Amino acid sequence: MSKFNTVIHWSGQYLLAASSMFMLLEVIDMLRGEAFGAAWRESLAWAVLAAAIFIGSRYYQAKRGAACAVCKDPPARG
């Protein structure tokens, strides 16, 4: 897999994780009675941070050669 495809893969994984976490956090806030306008910045900040940690961890594991049982990570280049 080329370096460009690897960047595209991990960028897509990050965007998917961040957007789904943001939506989940916003739904939880709205169920607690908060308005969207009042809580979206905090939800976005938490989603961006959590996605960075999550994808960074997956990238580190993929680089070490640990197989992912659920996903198809790009092969590690050695």
Side-chain angles (χ1 to χ4, degrees), residues 2-74:
S2 72
K3 187 168 182 109
F4 180 71
N5 286 341
T6 303
V7 169
I8 294 295
H9 172 80
W10 290 109
S11 298
Q13 293 289 308
Y14 176 78
L15 291 174
L16 178 65
S19 62
S20 61
M21 285 185 222
F22 173 70
M23 289 190 298
L24 178 65
L25 290 171
E26 270 305 306
V27 167
I28 291 170
D29 283 341
M30 286 184 202
L31 289 174
R32 289 184 4 204
E34 294 184 38
F36 177 80
W40 74 269
R41 287 184 182 107
E42 186 176 335
S43 294
L44 182 62
W46 279 111
V48 166
L49 179 65
I53 293 168
F54 176 70
I55 298 301
S57 166
R58 285 199 50 223
Y59 178 76
Y60 176 73
Q61 292 297 325
K63 282 293 186 189
R64 289 185 55 216
C68 180
V70 180
C71 56
K72 291 184 179 181
D73 288 331

